[in-house]
Amino acid sequence: MEKKKLYILTYDHGGYVLWKDEVKPRLKDIFEWMEKYPKLRIGLDYESFTFDEFSRCDPEIVEMIGELLKKYPDRIGLGATTYGQPLSLTISEESNARQLSYAVKTNMEYFGVTPPVYAISEFALNNQTPQLAKLCGYKAAILRSHVMGYGYTKTFDSAWGRWIGKDKTEMPAVPVYDGQGRGFNCTTVDNWILSRWPRHLRYSLEDFEDMFSKYEPLLASRYDDLTQEIEPLTEYVETKDNYEYVLLEDIPELYGEAVDELITDDNDFHVQMPWGYCGNEIFNGVRQSEVNAVQAEKLNAFSVMLGGETYQNKTDEAWKYALAAQHHDVTICGLLDLSRRFIPASISASDYVKNESAKTFASRFANKDGKPVAVNMHSFAVDEWVDFNGRKYHITLPAFTAKTVCGSSEKYPFEWENGVLETPVYRAVLTDCGIAYLENKRTGRRIFDNGSESIFTAHIENADCVSKGKWNVEIKDTYALAVFEGNIGSIPFRLEMAFNGESPRIDCKTRFELHGEHVGITGEKAGLEKSITVDGHRHDGKLNFNMNLCLDNNRKMFRDLPYSISEWDGQVRVTEDYWYVEDRILIDKKVSPEESFASTTNIEGIYWIGLRDEKGGVAVFNRGCMGGMVKGNRLSIPLVYADLYLCGTKMLDGVYEDEFALMSYDSSVSCTDIHRNAVSYSYQPQIIACENGDGDLNSFEAATLKSCGGEVILTTLYNENGALYARFCNYSDESATAEFGCAFGKADAEVDLLCNELAKIDGGKLSFRPWEIKTVRIR
């Protein structure tokens, strides 16, 4: 009897970031292997940034890739499906869209080809990937994270099916088979074999065939480091008649029609990050670069409507360096040399676009008194307090509006006496440990109650340490600034909490000065074996900001994800197991509310995380550190980790800062309301100095958005190739209709993420499925 086929998909994971010195030697090997091993077909999983960067610093590498693709068109495949190989659950919604679209454009620019199937090595997967990938022209996907150190997904009892994501978009996909492998700090079993056999003999390809013989077609796939020694296995495959190499291009035809349903939800995609690593410098910087890129392209779009120039080349530059900084190895390996190059380069390009665009506003606005212009580029009204040139501005603006503003002349009742701070919204009892409790005066409900516990805790130099310090409160007409300064162990700290007017949001800044201290509890210190693989992911013992929230036992956890908002129900453990023959992981266990309340879990959100009960809750907005640890009602935000770490221990010397905000709310506030507030916190109104402007405008409404049902929110507005484009997402489980109007021109077509026309639209009228993303062209 003829033995069943085993299809082998093998792609070298690498590129400029981390592997730049290894790329050329590996390409030379591949040239030799093409002649030496006639059966071999292999792909190049390089981030597309690689092609841009090597074209500048070593063009021969780009030429070698082009020659391989031309000489062996049926045996060499391009595997670059993202521009910067990110962990997609730790970057913003627009960053997710741009990672895909810039990859396709860059691949086509250099080689005239791009992969037809979406596939990745490390965790660039989320529940909106089917929609985003389809909008970039992908025909199918490999629903596998091959290297699962930082993320993994659901497994399925299926060889091939229709991956159905958040908005019900369907995409044919090869999943991770049940038992094939899931969990942090491991790879799928086939990836391990194809990368490490026969050096590691735990399993062979024959074992893989036996373990998963019920799946047909059976695919063993590898997306692993280009430094792996794969030639012995390559030589072995030549001797096996039933082993056949395939490329991504072969998958759709090989598998045919997808029948099985592969349904995922937001909680089927698990990520862990070493929050606090490098003092959060890289995480904060990545957020700053992606926010600035969006702000720059939006402001430039507004400027174009007022007659200004487009700066597409500069916005492209800003995005590309932001996307490169999001590379998983930059963030998880602490590649500070690259982050300190990419992030400033991105921000510099964004600042150029913003500064040039601002000149158009200055020329168009009538402003004899030197009042600045505030610009709200959101599709919803904002109520923000913004510092500008030493003054506080209370910005209340309708959607898509720019107007001249004055520094605030409002007066609010703030009082500070004997450790008690009273604001229009809050009552805070301040102690030498931090904050005894914070209370919402309007509802009479305590937000958190720390009692005599410290606001900061950390395990420093093998000792449990708590914060001690003194408060100083500055009272002004419009705000109160509470500053807590002291030490935690040997580390000086500063905490600022700004209470602005009647805003329910408290803006916080932290500052820690380190000089090589060990911060965090490692497994070695806890007496555990093989601990280095999980040390950076244990948040207890890091330098944490802590709140004992005042919530009932039926409290729930919520967070935002790329183009999504969801309840988090996962109790995900940090694991060192490599493969699960029987999947016994906590996310599959039905946990009672009482058990959930008593357990410890990590919660990750792009812009915010929140806990609430039936009466209301508390949200934490962030500007970089996207994680928290929840145990019962205790919420801890990890700010510093400096100790043993698998991907490169980084001790800290210098000043490290974080920004986040706290917002309490009652039961009438929806998760979408919280999301709008969190987005407004990250993307604040832009204020432009317009000294002695003599233009014809005092205000300007750039666009309008009228919607019915759902929660349609604009995510960006940008110029590309002579047209404006607006992107929206319906952040709701309900369908919606919307009508978008623009001062510049007319929305005439719906387009994909590559700006290819999908359908004509009439009068800017749009219909949205729940959680659907749409981009429209404005002529």
Side-chain angles (χ1 to χ4, degrees), residues 59-134:
E60 184 185 3
I61 288 178
V62 181
E63 293 170 4
M64 291 173 72
I65 295 169
E67 185 180 349
L68 278 169
L69 291 169
K70 185 176 180 180
K71 188 174 182 180
Y72 306 103
D74 297 324
R75 297 179 61 197
I76 300 291
L78 203 60
T81 58
T82 59
Y83 187 79
Q85 296 196 26
L87 301 173
S88 72
L89 288 179
T90 64
I91 61 174
S92 70
E93 70 287 314
E94 273 307 308
S95 293
N96 271 274
R98 302 311 173 88
Q99 284 285 0
L100 274 68
S101 63
Y102 276 99
V104 172
K105 293 173 185 177
T106 305
N107 296 342
M108 294 302 294
E109 176 186 350
Y110 284 95
F111 308 114
V113 295
T114 197
V117 175
Y118 184 81
I120 48 89
S121 172
E122 301 194 40
F123 203 55
L125 297 169
N126 62 72
N127 204 28
Q128 289 283 35
T129 299
Q131 183 177 186
L132 292 169
K134 198 166 186 176

